[in-house]
């Protein structure tokens, strides 16, 4: 049997994490300051797990996964024997500091203390704790049991070995961790989303497009590619010779839109991005990957049409 996981906080985020870890084979203990919340979270899992089983999205059976989820009455019970604690309490720094002080005092010495916080920096949460080296943010996109990306964010004092151990735990549970090298406000996903939202609001506010037209641009345009390849791979595949050729051809257009000062796309960062892209996809495989992308776009288009037809029925 795999090691137990403690889910501290049993609301929308905590219950999703419980499903993630339970379906991966971990005994999960649910605790919340609201006594009724852990049972409600387990009831939610009981409703969702059979559907996940029907769709082939869990190993084993729904019954087996549900049996691993146990509501408990005390924080001490939740943490007993756990090497990973996933905290999902209220998004307020005072609340976080208080609960992490309690976790640090109770948890075993090699237990990782991870917060689901979407905005609070791990350094702010853990500053002053004796065990601050084992604190990090593990921020999911809700619902975590359906969206596999999760951001692992270290404080300056987080032990890199514990960060990697947590990444391995998530990978084993079917998640796709974004292992950040250092903390920054907004992490990765909210900074990307924020940049897009800033521009979306500006396009509407300045009368260039309606909200629906902006949504169409994402829903029926960029998001179709981004659902299976990210922005760097997108531009890598949008020029015959890859990312450097794309920047050479189109970088000036983006400079003009960015305002001043614009990011220097042609600087040392391009060397890094190109090296990472070529390590992931050799130049002589670009055309093959472009053909793969087109086949996936065809499959996605067919899937979206079926979904639209079902809504119409």
């Amino acid at each position: 049997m795999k090691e137990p996981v403690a889910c501290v906080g049993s609301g929308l985020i905590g219950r999703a994490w419980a499903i993630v870890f339970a379906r991966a084979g971990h005994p999960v203990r649910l605790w919340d300051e609201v006594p009724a919340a852990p049972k409600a979270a387990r009831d939610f899992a009981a409703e969702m797990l059979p559907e996940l089983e029907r769709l082939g999205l869990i190993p084993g059976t729904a019954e087996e996964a549900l049996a691993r989820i146990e509501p408990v009455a005390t924080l001490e019970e939740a943490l007993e024997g756990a090497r990973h604690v996933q905290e999902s309490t209220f998004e307020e720094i005072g609340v976080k500091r208080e609960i992490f002080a309690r976790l640090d005092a109770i948890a075993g010495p090699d237990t990782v203390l991870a917060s689901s916080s979407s905005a609070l920096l791990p350094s702010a949460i853990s500053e002053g704790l004796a065990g601050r080296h084992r604190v990090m943010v593990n921020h999911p996109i809700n619902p975590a049991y359906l969206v596999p990306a999760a951001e692992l964010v270290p404080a300056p004092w987080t032990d890199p070995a514990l960060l990697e151990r947590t990444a391995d735990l998530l990978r084993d549970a079917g998640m796709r961790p974004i292992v950040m090298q250092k903390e920054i406000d907004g992490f990765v996903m909210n900074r990307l989303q924020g940049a897009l939202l800033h521009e979306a609001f500006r396009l509407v506010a300045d009368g260039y497009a309606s909200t629906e037209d902006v949504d169409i641009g994402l829903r029926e345009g960029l998001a179709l590619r981004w659902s299976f390849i990210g922005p760097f791979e997108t531009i890598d595949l949008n020029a015959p010779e890859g990312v450097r050729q794309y920047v050479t051809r189109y970088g000036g257009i983006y400079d003009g839109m960015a305002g001043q000062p614009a990011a220097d796309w042609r600087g040392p960062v391009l060397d890094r991005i190109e090296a990472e892209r070529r390590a992931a996809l050799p130049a002589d495989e670009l055309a093959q990957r472009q053909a793969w992308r087109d086949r996936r776009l065809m499959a996605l288009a067919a899937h979206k049409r079926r979904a639209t037809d079902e809504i119409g029925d």
Side-chain angles (χ1 to χ4, degrees), residues 54-216:
R54 184 182 69 81
L55 295 172
L57 297 176
I58 60 171
T61 67
E63 184 178 3
E64 291 168 342
L66 184 63
R68 299 186 189 106
I69 300 176
E70 177 189 5
V72 296
T74 68
L75 191 57
E76 287 77 9
E77 286 180 272
L79 269 60
E80 185 178 355
R83 294 187 73 216
H84 182 86
V85 176
Q86 188 66 43
E87 173 275 331
S88 307
T89 62
F90 188 65
E91 186 81 353
E92 200 279 320
I93 189 60
V95 173
K96 297 292 189 189
R97 286 175 173 165
E98 180 181 352
I99 191 64
F100 269 82
R102 294 176 65 187
L103 295 174
D104 192 40
I106 298 170
D110 64 344
T111 300
V112 165
L113 307 179
S115 176
S116 298
S117 175
S118 60
L120 300 173
L121 296 177
S123 60
I125 293 171
S126 62
E127 186 174 9
L129 292 181
R132 66 182 189 171
H133 67 283
R134 52 168 169 180
V135 175
M136 64 193 70
V137 162
N138 178 28
H139 170 230
I141 298 295
N142 195 46
Y145 67 94
L146 294 177
V147 183
E151 299 171 303
L152 280 182
V153 190
W157 43 74
T158 301
D159 184 342
L162 293 180
L163 190 73
E164 189 54 40
R165 190 183 90 185
T166 305
D168 288 340
L169 173 75
L170 292 176
R171 294 184 188 108
D172 183 68
M175 302 296 286
R176 298 295 298 272
I178 301 165
V179 185
M180 295 186 64
Q181 298 173 35
K182 56 185 177 180
E183 64 180 18
I184 186 173
D185 288 331
F187 313 146
V188 170
M189 288 185 283
N190 278 334
R191 292 186 76 86
L192 292 174
Q193 182 170 247
L196 193 152
L197 285 172
H198 279 305
E199 189 58 38
F201 273 85
R202 177 163 38 201
L203 288 169
V204 174
D206 292 349
Y208 294 108
S210 70
T211 56
E212 175 62 13
D213 285 330
V214 172
D215 278 355
I216 288 172

Side-chain angles (χ1 to χ4, degrees), residues 204-258:
V204 174
D206 292 349
Y208 294 108
S210 70
T211 56
E212 175 62 13
D213 285 330
V214 172
D215 278 355
I216 288 172
L218 270 292
R219 186 180 67 240
E220 309 299 338
L222 296 176
L224 297 181
R225 296 182 302 203
W226 288 353
S227 66
F228 54 89
I229 57 177
F232 285 129
E233 185 170 3
T234 293
I235 66 172
D236 196 29
L237 299 178
N238 276 356
E241 297 175 15
V243 63
R244 182 172 295 275
Q245 186 182 56
Y246 184 92
V247 170
T248 299
R249 288 182 173 183
Y250 305 114
I253 296 174
Y254 290 98
D255 288 346
M257 289 187 287

